[in-house]
Amino acid sequence: MKNVKIFDFLGEIGTYTFIEESIQLKAVSSKITTANNREFKDLVLSWIDGAYDEDPESLAWEVTNLL
């Protein structure tokens, strides 16, 4: 898996569910990546595996709580 930044990931899931602008602004300055945050990496891997296909809003909520 390549290193994924939280801002980029929110951009991807934002095509499936609404991400507030204030959250996007927090994500821009965040240093969280899959390389330095195990919880975020697990969420990204779950997304890749299809665990959130039916409920991307839950994933967005979980990711934004990391910020």
Side-chain angles (χ1 to χ4, degrees), residues 19-66:
I19 307 292
E20 293 183 21
E21 185 177 348
S22 62
I23 298 299
Q24 294 172 353
L25 291 174
K26 284 183 184 179
V28 165
S29 61
S30 175
K31 303 289 187 211
I32 295 174
T33 70
T34 53
N36 66 20
N37 188 298
R38 180 67 186 171
E39 187 175 355
F40 177 55
K41 182 178 181 178
D42 289 345
L43 290 170
V44 172
L45 290 173
S46 293
W47 173 253
I48 291 168
D49 290 341
Y52 291 94
D53 285 354
E54 299 298 321
D55 193 10
E57 294 85 10
S58 291
L59 176 61
W61 185 84
E62 289 189 51
V63 172
T64 57
N65 281 328
L66 297 174

Side-chain angles (χ1 to χ4, degrees), residues 4-19:
V4 178
K5 295 178 182 177
I6 199 167
F7 174 75
D8 296 330
F9 188 63
L10 284 172
E12 179 178 334
I13 62 175
T15 61
Y16 300 95
T17 188
F18 178 73
I19 307 292

